[in-house]
Amino acid sequence: SFEEGRPPVKVIITDSQQFHGTNFLEELAELLELNELFEQNNWEQLKWETQKLENVCGSGVLIDEDQIYDVDVRVVRWGW
C-alpha cells in the first residue's frame, strides 16, 4: 500500500481497437477519485498514452493465418 512505502501494483491496460466506451478514466467514479488522490499527493495521474507496436504477429476472427503488422495501442500504466 502507499502508506507502507511499497510501490503500487503494476497494472497495464491496452486498447488496440479503441472500442467505444473504453475511456473509463473519465467515466468511472472510482478512477476519478483515485486520480484526485494522486493529484493531491503530487503523484502522476492515470492517463491514456499512445504507442506504436511494430512487427506484431497475430491473427483475428476472420483470418486463418498469422500476420505480421504494426498496431497503434492506447495504454494505461500504473507503477512504472
Side-chain angles (χ1 to χ4, degrees):
S1 78
F2 292 110
E3 293 81 21
E4 297 169 355
R6 287 185 270 159
V9 174
K10 291 174 176 50
V11 176
I12 185 168
I13 301 164
T14 64
D15 174 19
S16 62
Q17 302 297 320
Q18 297 188 14
F19 293 112
H20 175 73
T22 57
N23 197 12
F24 49 82
L25 291 178
E26 296 177 5
E27 296 172 4
L28 292 176
E30 294 86 356
L31 291 175
L32 290 169
E33 291 172 7
L34 185 61
N35 265 344
E36 287 178 17
L37 174 68
F38 286 3
E39 183 177 27
Q40 291 169 4
N41 288 284
N42 295 319
W43 298 329
E44 186 176 350
Q45 295 183 24
L46 298 175
K47 64 181 182 274
W48 286 107
E49 301 172 15
T50 302
Q51 295 185 346
K52 181 178 222 64
L53 302 180
E54 297 179 349
N55 297 319
V56 174
C57 180
S59 61
V61 175
L62 300 176
I63 302 171
D64 292 331
E65 304 283 326
D66 284 344
Q67 297 182 342
I68 296 177
Y69 54 95
D70 296 342
V71 63
D72 293 324
V73 296
R74 294 186 315 155
V75 178
V76 175
R77 301 180 208 217
W78 183 16
W80 272 273

